[in-house]
Amino acid sequence: MATWKTLLLQDSASPLMEQLSFFHDHTLMILVIITVLVSQLMISLFFNKFSHRLLLNGQLIEMIWTILPAVTLIFIGLPSLRLIYILDEINNPSITIKSIGHQWYWSYEYSDFKNIEFDSYMKPINSMNPYSFRLLDVDNRMIIPFKSQIRLIVTANDVIHSWTIPSLGVKIDATPGRLNQISFIVNRTGLFYGQCSEICGANHSFMPIVLESISPKYFIKWTSKMIES
């Protein structure tokens, strides 16, 4: 999760976030190279004493500064398009979960299992454990098995919300009257924190998201327990 000392992206917990991190580094490297080269040219232009008062145009230099940016955009655009298709691809999801945004909490429905529905509210400070994170922990976590493809269907009951977990590279709008879906896989077990990323009213800051990734064996036990209760 993000802390005060976190300057860059959070550690990835899914293949999608790994690819997003690689694309971020790739694009940043290109931007740094361009910034250094342009800065060097500007400094040399300011401080050299050369001038050419009869120079009206230069076809060669104009071709160069047209072609080079086009090539640079291709090197940025092709990996970006590849990532977009990876984001949209859903192949035989193991579990489908529906998340519904409310003012100001989330509710979850496990469509593949009978009677598994619950609301997820932020834990008030007076009922938190010593190891809980303030304004981030919830009373009922969304639980999934790791290394399984999850299809998340997101909607809202009142206004637009946004279901976001940065370490998974997942951010999807919850729009009233509309179903949006996204697919993701979690690489490892653990707790992953997120928050609503769309300003949705007075308590927008108080509807966190907590996803708990566990082994498939314990996930089956948890579903059996939820169905019985």
Side-chain angles (χ1 to χ4, degrees):
M1 62 172 289
T3 60
W4 291 108
K5 292 184 179 180
T6 303
L7 299 177
L8 298 177
L9 301 174
Q10 293 186 26
D11 293 338
S12 61
S14 69
L16 171 61
M17 187 57 191
E18 286 181 6
Q19 294 300 316
L20 288 171
S21 299
F22 293 151
F23 177 68
H24 169 268
D25 296 341
H26 169 77
T27 308
L28 202 61
M29 180 188 69
I30 293 174
L31 292 176
V32 168
I33 292 171
I34 292 172
T35 304
V36 170
L37 289 177
V38 172
S39 301
Q40 184 183 8
L41 285 172
M42 290 181 67
I43 292 170
S44 65
L45 285 172
F46 278 123
F47 291 102
N48 71 47
K49 297 181 180 179
F50 299 107
S51 63
H52 199 313
R53 63 188 179 85
L54 299 178
L55 181 63
L56 299 178
N57 60 39
Q59 296 295 327
L60 179 62
I61 192 67
E62 287 183 7
M63 286 180 61
I64 290 173
W65 71 42
T66 302
I67 292 172
L68 280 182
V71 173
T72 305
L73 289 175
I74 288 172
F75 276 103
I76 294 175
L78 290 180
S80 176
L81 287 172
R82 174 176 164 270
L83 260 180
I84 288 173
Y85 282 105
I86 291 174
L87 277 166
D88 288 337
E89 192 164 338
I90 297 177
N91 292 322
N92 301 319
S94 304
I95 298 170
T96 299
I97 303 172
K98 185 177 181 182
S99 176
I100 305 170
H102 306 266
Q103 287 182 314
W104 288 271
Y105 65 96
W106 296 94
S107 61
Y108 298 98
E109 300 175 6
Y110 287 69
S111 307
D112 302 318
F113 303 93
K114 187 179 179 181
N115 299 329
I116 300 184
E117 299 178 7
F118 55 87
D119 297 331
S120 180
Y121 288 88
M122 185 189 74
K123 274 189 178 181
I125 295 175
N126 55 9
S127 64
M128 289 174 61
N129 298 313
Y131 50 82
S132 298
F133 292 103
R134 178 178 173 271
L135 302 183
L136 281 178
D137 226 330
V138 295
D139 53 359
N140 293 309
R141 298 166 179 164
M142 173 181 163
I143 297 178
I144 62 167
F146 76 101
K147 292 186 178 179
S148 300
Q149 189 164 24
I150 310 298
R151 175 171 57 188
L152 183 70
I153 299 174
V154 181
T155 187
N157 197 37
D158 33 48
V159 299
I160 299 176
H161 302 276
S162 185
W163 199 92
T164 307
I165 295 185
S167 58
L168 300 182
V170 174
K171 183 180 185 296
I172 181 167
D173 285 344
T175 308
R178 177 172 177 171
L179 294 176
N180 292 329
Q181 69 175 10
I182 195 167
S183 178
F184 61 89
I185 298 173
V186 182
N187 284 338
R188 51 190 168 86
T189 59
L191 294 176
F192 306 101
Y193 296 88
Q195 290 174 303
C196 175
S197 298
E198 186 74 33
I199 297 175
C200 56
N203 291 330
H204 159 69
S205 302
F206 305 106
M207 49 182 303
I209 302 159
V210 182
L211 184 145
E212 184 174 354
S213 174
I214 59 178
S215 71
K217 176 182 175 182
Y218 287 110
F219 178 77
I220 293 170
K221 289 184 178 179
W222 176 78
T223 55
S224 302
K225 181 181 177 182
M226 291 293 289
I227 292 170
E228 289 172 1
S229 60

